[in-house]
Amino acid sequence: MSKGQIMKIFAKVIGAVFQHSQQRKAQKKQERQARAGRSNVMVNKQSNNDPIYPMYGRQRMGGTRAYIEASDGAGNVQNTIPDPDAPPEDPDKTIVENTEFLNLVIAMCEGEVGDIEQLWFNDTIVWEGSITDTNKATALASGGYELKGFESGTQYSGAVMYIAWYPGTSTQQYDTTISGSVGVGNWGGFAVLRDVSYLAFRMIATEKFGGQLPTFTATLVGKKILDVSTLVNGDTLADMTAANYTVGADQNPADIMYDYLISQYYGKGLDRTEDETWVAGTNINLASFQQAKIDCDAARGGLGYPLNGFLQTEKQIFDNIGEIMETCNGMTLFVDGFYEFRIGKKNEEVGLPASKIFDKSTILGEIGLGLPTKSGKLNKVTGLFNNQTKKWNDDLVLFKSDPFILEDNGSILEAQEDYTMITDADYVTDLITQMANTSRDQYQINFTAAHTALLLKSGDVIEVRHDDFGWGTGAGQTQEFFRVQELKLTEDNTVEIIATTYNSALEL
């Protein structure tokens, strides 16, 4: 091929070589800025409009103080009255009465949560459910518990009188102890907080807290969600039994994605009829989610993609869907009126049918080729996450390649990724390593094919054979595979295909 021909090919290079990757990087930058502006997830916030997060898997969470009031414990709340012993020089002196007890309700998570495993007080575990407890929440509220650090003679002895855990069921009732302490008019039958998990406390208000509100966090077993592998088209809630749900640590991305997409409260509200009734398969391709769940379990040499974390409900739906996809090399597609979920994996190039192999006989015109640019390459990536082994506090792992830096003439080309759905350092390391390797290997092509190429879907792996590039199965040639990113029907009834490099060795 002549130099002129090569230049003509490169003249057709699409400007954004890594269009999808660059869009996500820009979005992640905005997300990091949003995170910097919000309170840490492991604090108690005071607000009447603060977002409540859905939590999946297993995670330590703080919450929002939904109600706080001092009282005498018998239904009379804090009140300011004239001081009967006011001196003549200060006749308007007042006193505050009914402050013996502190009543506190902390909203934790959106939706029904599996159970509570640990209770933390100011970053110290004060209660853990026994591994023999069939229901740790019941054990906590039974009255037989003893909080570490609150025993007789310790720092906070006598401070805690009552604790109750409500997992966020659709039938939960109001807390009668809080109601009795502050009065039914302040906390009564209207205060059920259904579909929101919360902790209720009644404590002796004591100077032992140093004049500050105590901070309570809890280790929770995450949201009760549908198991997509058990669903069939047409299922309704009336068909569901306990076997159709999954709850606990290490939840599968396919189950989480389905839960998020069908939620009418914090998600997209799919698989819903006009009256918002859930009917499985209404506009979600269940088979694709079921296959995605299998692929997620098989990834990383069988370690899978176990998710433990939370989604931020103040973010746009698109961004939260992207958050899930980034944990599992996922792709969300809209095909023939249905949403599909697919997972990038190894060996997708094996056994491709003839309809997914393109050569000079099926490629109309020239191929546009875009090689990786320096701005798109990475040789250093930092992954931020909440580390379960470090009390779920912020942690980071680092990928840095000296050979890559040498190739880049000593320039440090870096990126930072934040993960709110992962608590395992090895898992984050796998993702950021793949991210760096892919950035250096991936290039983009575009070409036009006959209208029959419309049978392809975004996300499909194809093979391109072209002698001018040395791509093929002949002597001295290499097979080149690509993942379809976009399909465009042109005015002359042909199809423009935009695809990026697929390398099975880099898939997890």
Side-chain angles (χ1 to χ4, degrees):
M1 184 169 54
S2 69
K3 181 177 180 180
Q5 288 176 307
I6 294 176
M7 294 304 295
K8 191 172 183 180
I9 289 174
F10 276 85
K12 293 173 65 62
V13 170
I14 299 170
V17 177
F18 305 107
Q19 183 178 9
H20 177 72
S21 176
Q22 295 297 335
Q23 286 175 349
R24 286 301 300 152
K25 286 180 183 178
Q27 290 155 5
K28 294 295 283 186
K29 181 178 180 180
Q30 295 174 354
E31 292 163 19
R32 289 194 294 271
Q33 292 171 344
R35 289 188 180 99
R38 69 168 180 86
S39 299
N40 187 279
V41 72
M42 289 191 295
V43 298
N44 296 156
K45 296 161 282 187
Q46 183 73 28
S47 175
N48 60 3
N49 62 355
D50 210 58
I52 301 175
Y53 298 154
M55 193 275 286
Y56 301 94
R58 185 172 183 261
Q59 173 74 34
R60 180 184 168 196
M61 299 287 288
T64 300
R65 299 184 191 100
Y67 182 76
I68 181 169
E69 184 62 88
S71 74
D72 64 355
N76 301 304
V77 299
Q78 176 178 313
N79 187 36
T80 302
I81 61 173
D83 186 352
D85 300 319
E89 63 272 15
D90 188 9
D92 295 327
K93 184 179 179 182
T94 60
I95 60 173
V96 180
E97 63 175 359
N98 304 332
T99 60
E100 181 181 359
F101 290 91
L102 174 64
N103 305 276
L104 186 62
V105 173
I106 302 178
M108 301 295 287
C109 298
E110 176 74 52
E112 183 177 351
V113 173
D115 208 345
I116 180 171
E117 294 190 340
Q118 297 172 324
L119 184 64
W120 300 64
F121 181 90
N122 291 347
D123 210 36
T124 299
I125 297 176
V126 296
W127 176 87
E128 289 186 274
S130 167
I131 59 174
T132 61
D133 293 334
T134 56
N135 188 317
K136 297 180 178 64
T138 300
L140 174 63
S142 66
Y145 56 83
E146 185 175 59
L147 300 186
K148 301 173 186 176
F150 288 77
E151 306 95 329
S152 176
T154 58
Q155 182 179 2
Y156 302 110
S157 59
V160 175
M161 298 296 293
Y162 170 80
I163 304 173
W165 163 248
Y166 291 83
T169 67
S170 59
T171 58
Q172 67 189 13
Q173 302 298 315
Y174 71 98
D175 188 278
T176 56
T177 298
I178 298 295
S179 178
S181 183
V182 302
V184 69
N186 294 306
W187 191 265
F190 56 88
V192 294
L193 298 186
R194 287 175 182 164
D195 298 313
V196 175
S197 58
Y198 71 93
L199 283 162
F201 300 88
R202 190 189 69 170
M203 301 171 282
I204 292 178
T206 172
E207 68 279 358
K208 294 179 179 180
F209 294 142
Q212 297 179 340
L213 284 174
T215 298
F216 285 100
T217 55
T219 302
L220 304 177
V221 175
K223 203 170 180 298
K224 177 182 176 182
I225 59 178
L226 288 167
D227 181 344
V228 296
S229 66
T230 70
L231 303 180
V232 297
N233 290 329
D235 272 340
T236 65
L237 288 179
D239 302 320
M240 298 295 97
T241 67
N244 295 112
Y245 292 92
T246 174
V247 67
D250 302 334
Q251 289 185 309
N252 190 287
D255 292 329
I256 293 174
M257 180 68 83
Y258 187 75
D259 178 77
Y260 187 73
L261 289 178
I262 68 172
S263 174
Q264 71 268 54
Y265 301 117
Y266 51 81
K268 191 169 176 59
L270 298 180
D271 266 7
R272 302 271 170 182
T273 59
E274 291 184 0
D275 63 355
E276 296 191 351
T277 300
W278 172 73
V279 179
T282 300
N283 37 39
I284 288 179
N285 184 323
L286 287 179
S288 71
F289 277 73
Q290 290 162 351
Q291 182 60 51
K293 181 168 184 174
I294 294 171
D295 294 338
C296 285
D297 285 337
R300 300 175 59 231
L303 296 175
Y305 295 126
L307 297 192
N308 299 279
F310 57 92
L311 293 174
Q312 297 166 249
T313 50
E314 73 270 32
K315 288 169 33 178
Q316 294 183 358
I317 291 175
F318 175 84
D319 292 329
N320 277 329
I321 290 174
E323 194 78 42
I324 301 171
M325 289 193 299
E326 287 181 345
T327 66
C328 59
N329 293 314
M331 296 164 276
T332 303
L333 314 171
F334 187 68
V335 180
D336 296 332
F338 289 84
Y339 288 86
E340 296 185 0
F341 189 41
R342 300 179 64 178
I343 306 299
K345 57 186 179 181
K346 294 182 178 294
N347 302 320
E348 290 186 67
E349 82 284 7
V350 176
L352 288 182
S355 59
K356 293 184 178 181
I357 300 174
F358 294 87
D359 56 23
K360 286 186 176 181
S361 67
T362 51
I363 296 173
L364 307 179
E366 299 169 340
I367 295 178
L369 176 66
L371 298 177
T373 61
K374 185 173 182 178
S375 61
K377 293 181 178 181
L378 297 171
N379 53 44
K380 180 182 178 182
V381 184
T382 303
L384 302 178
F385 67 108
N386 295 93
N387 193 333
Q388 180 177 344
T389 66
K390 297 182 178 180
K391 298 183 177 181
W392 282 269
N393 288 316
D394 288 346
D395 199 5
L396 63 85
V397 292
L398 178 67
F399 170 89
K400 183 179 179 182
S401 171
D402 290 333
F404 288 169
I405 294 174
L406 184 62
E407 288 179 18
D408 298 325
N409 297 319
S411 297
I412 301 297
L413 308 176
E414 61 184 318
Q416 178 175 289
E417 288 296 306
D418 297 273
Y419 299 97
T420 65
M421 300 289 290
I422 304 174
T423 60
D424 178 73
D426 291 338
Y427 185 176
V428 175
T429 299
D430 287 345
L431 290 177
I432 63 174
T433 301
Q434 181 193 42
M435 178 180 175
N437 288 333
T438 300
S439 75
R440 311 185 68 83
D441 178 75
Q442 193 174 68
Y443 53 93
Q444 183 167 290
I445 65 170
N446 74 301
F447 62 90
T448 301
H451 68 278
T452 53
L454 278 176
L455 295 175
L456 294 174
K457 299 178 182 178
S458 294
D460 281 353
V461 170
I462 61 174
E463 182 182 357
V464 176
R465 299 174 180 176
H466 202 290
D467 293 340
D468 291 343
F469 296 99
W471 300 343
T473 58
Q477 294 183 322
T478 59
Q479 286 186 278
E480 291 291 330
F481 302 96
F482 300 86
R483 187 180 299 282
V484 175
Q485 300 294 331
E486 191 173 354
L487 298 167
K488 295 181 180 179
L489 182 64
T490 66
E491 293 181 354
D492 57 358
N493 206 32
T494 58
V495 180
E496 183 180 357
I497 298 173
I498 300 174
T500 53
T501 308
Y502 169 80
N503 185 342
S504 179
L506 298 183
E507 297 294 329
L508 297 178

